[in-house]
Amino acid sequence: MGECDSQPEFRRSGQRVGRGFHLVRQQPAGAGYTVFEHHRHAIQQELTIIVPMDENGGEPVRVQRLRLRNDSSRTRRLAVTFYVEWTLGEDREDSQAHVISQWDGETRIMLARNRYHPTYGDRIAFATISPAPDSYTADRTGFLGRNGTLSSPAAMKRIRLSRRVWPGLDPCAAVQVSLDLAPGDGAEVTCLLGQAGSTEEVDRLVRKYRDPGEVEESLKRTIAWWDRLTGTIQVNTPEKSVDILLNRWLPYQTLSSRIWGRTGFYQSSGAFGFRDQLQDAMALLYAEPAIARRHILLAAGRQFIEGDVQHWWQPPSGAGIRTRCSDDMLWLPYAAAHYVRFTGDAEILNERIPFIEDRSLDEKEHEVFMTPRESLESATLYEHCRRAIGRGLRTGAHGLPLIGSGD
């Protein structure tokens, strides 16, 4: 989690936070951004949150821009604190002992790594604030205080943060900057949270988004990108709420939550569901057929040589479950045929994709969790679809279609 806060901290709408501070209004969020506004003690505050997106793709950084204005008749000194609790794994209670924090005194960035993570051990998480922070800490226990809570952390009662950064701490990233605002003056603070593959990439992202002009342009590009995607289809019905749902909300959620976030009512692990995300990709044919194309090929790569597929799998390791579900595999030819019909791109059927392989299920096994290996055998998408149909044509002891498990 991470919040970009003026002292005391921002929290969700209507929730009381420290010393009677309330967030009184949240503006309606647009696609790709959210704006929070608040006015308290003669300080006007506007917090804009985006993940930059444009035609060249997204950036692995969340940008929070806090704009402040002193509406009082006296000079005000404010401390703006950006606070993050690292997980860097599946569960914070399991991973926190392995998170190592590092403070880069030259770039004024808090870095964090979990070298023990089997997949992302080489990734570097980072958090910083602009203007450059004048104090910092990686000590969550010290920040919150003994038996402390985020609603009233002990650090907010001190002049500055402790600058405690070393292994073995209960890890967090807290960076703070002090501002002096004369009557009528304003200030802009940018909080950055992200992850990259190298310190060079971290430095590039921080340098880029510490520039207020770049933040403003990124916001415009992000809004334009999402407007184009969600504006491809416009439906007019007698019910305005249905129009909003069909024209904007559902396409936005399909991509941001289902394809990218891979989350839902019970699918919140970040895994790909074979049939689930193929269905979602089909919904994007009108707005972004290239995404649907990429996902069809990705799904074909999770098919076993025998024609069945992984019910779900976790990228990038490919760990997942092999099951007896018969409907999963049949979504591949269905989605591929629908894509070709809609786009006319029959060349996709000639794309070659490798299979995966592992042991077959025993007679009494309904499913097995495994990490299959990529096979040396590859085939065209057309052949992948043919094997899926062939696998689905099995019959039982009485010559009837063998449905298998699943839906």
Side-chain angles (χ1 to χ4, degrees):
M1 64 177 291
E3 306 296 332
C4 182
D5 309 318
S6 65
Q7 186 178 347
E9 295 182 287
F10 271 116
R11 282 294 175 266
R12 289 184 292 274
S13 179
Q15 183 175 351
R16 188 174 186 274
V17 289
R19 294 186 286 184
F21 191 91
H22 285 74
L23 181 65
V24 295
R25 184 162 73 93
Q26 176 187 350
Q27 290 185 352
Y33 74 98
T34 301
V35 180
F36 297 88
E37 289 184 344
H38 183 62
H39 193 280
R40 185 80 172 205
H41 302 304
I43 300 295
Q44 178 66 40
Q45 304 156 60
E46 179 191 85
L47 179 67
T48 302
I49 307 173
I50 65 167
V51 173
M53 190 71 197
D54 59 29
E55 298 303 327
N56 298 318
E59 297 265 42
V61 58
R62 185 191 66 185
V63 181
Q64 295 175 279
R65 182 183 66 189
L66 178 64
R67 285 177 167 171
L68 304 169
R69 190 182 69 237
N70 180 10
D71 290 340
S72 71
S73 57
R74 60 187 178 89
T75 298
R76 307 290 293 277
R77 165 156 282 201
L78 305 175
V80 180
T81 303
F82 179 39
Y83 175 79
V84 172
E85 291 185 0
W86 299 120
T87 297
L88 306 189
E90 289 71 39
D91 186 81
R92 187 176 186 279
E93 282 67 28
D94 294 332
S95 64
Q96 61 181 350
H98 305 302
V99 174
I100 303 299
S101 301
Q102 176 187 348
W103 174 251
D104 190 321
E106 182 178 351
T107 59
R108 316 292 288 177
I109 305 171
M110 186 71 76
L111 307 173
R113 295 175 174 88
N114 178 4
R115 294 288 191 184
Y116 284 86
H117 194 280
T119 305
Y120 301 107
D122 59 343
R123 303 289 292 178
I124 305 171
F126 65 91
T128 190
I129 196 171
S130 181
D134 44 43
S135 66
Y136 55 88
T137 186
D139 180 10
R140 175 179 177 270
T141 302
F143 183 90
L144 297 178
R146 182 178 176 84
N147 299 323
T149 65
L150 284 172
S151 63
S152 183
M156 296 296 97
K157 301 176 178 69
R158 306 185 187 120
I159 297 175
R160 63 182 62 86
L161 302 180
S162 65
R163 302 191 178 187
R164 289 165 57 91
V165 183
W166 52 73
L169 295 172
D170 182 5
C172 78
V175 287
Q176 187 179 83
V177 62
S178 298
L179 304 171
D180 290 313
L181 295 182
D185 277 358
E188 184 170 307
V189 177
T190 304
C191 303
L192 304 176
L193 174 68
Q195 192 178 68
S198 66
T199 53
E200 291 77 16
E201 178 66 4
V202 171
D203 291 345
R204 182 193 71 80
L205 290 167
V206 170
R207 284 197 305 271
K208 180 177 181 179
Y209 292 103
R210 273 180 171 167
D211 179 1
E214 178 60 33
V215 172
E216 179 64 24
E217 289 303 311
S218 294
L219 175 60
K220 292 178 181 178
R221 289 194 296 267
T222 299
I223 293 173
W225 191 90
W226 281 108
D227 283 348
R228 180 194 61 77
L229 183 136
T230 58
T232 302
I233 298 176
Q234 292 298 300
V235 177
N236 294 305
T237 71
E239 184 59 54
K240 185 66 175 177
S241 60
V242 173
D243 294 351
I244 295 172
L245 195 68
L246 294 177
N247 295 336
R248 196 155 183 96
W249 186 245
L250 291 180
Y252 179 57
Q253 287 298 308
T254 297
L255 181 56
S256 63
S257 177
R258 299 293 301 152
I259 298 293
W260 287 345
R262 298 189 293 279
T263 187
F265 291 118
Y266 64 93
Q267 185 193 2
S268 56
S269 66
F272 280 108
F274 195 90
R275 65 170 179 234
D276 295 358
Q277 268 71 45
L278 277 173
Q279 293 169 348
D280 299 326
M282 290 171 64
L284 291 171
L285 275 179
Y286 302 95
E288 198 67 28
I291 293 177
R293 190 185 203 274
R294 287 196 298 270
H295 188 76
I296 289 170
L297 297 176
L298 177 69
R302 308 316 302 172
Q303 183 182 38
F304 292 96
I305 295 174
E306 295 83 357
D308 59 321
V309 300
Q310 286 182 297
H311 184 62
W312 58 258
W313 75 93
Q314 285 275 8
S317 68
I321 60 171
R322 190 172 194 174
T323 71
R324 298 188 184 278
C325 294
S326 55
D327 59 328
D328 286 343
M329 68 191 86
L330 295 176
W331 277 99
L332 181 64
Y334 184 81
H338 184 66
Y339 171 86
V340 172
R341 263 197 313 271
F342 179 80
T343 65
D345 176 22
E347 189 57 34
I348 190 176
L349 299 175
N350 296 321
E351 295 279 359
R352 295 194 70 86
I353 312 106
F355 293 96
I356 55 176
E357 57 184 36
D358 211 314
R359 73 171 182 85
S360 299
L361 298 178
D362 293 337
E363 184 177 347
K364 294 184 179 181
E365 288 180 321
H366 292 285
E367 63 183 44
V368 171
F369 178 82
M370 58 178 61
T371 305
R373 58 192 175 276
E374 184 176 293
S375 174
L376 295 177
E377 181 180 350
S378 65
T380 63
L381 176 62
Y382 179 84
E383 173 62 16
H384 279 266
C385 294
R386 192 194 68 79
R387 290 197 194 185
I389 294 173
R391 181 79 170 186
L393 287 176
R394 294 175 301 164
T395 56
H398 303 288
L400 299 174
L402 190 62
I403 299 301
S405 58
D407 297 342

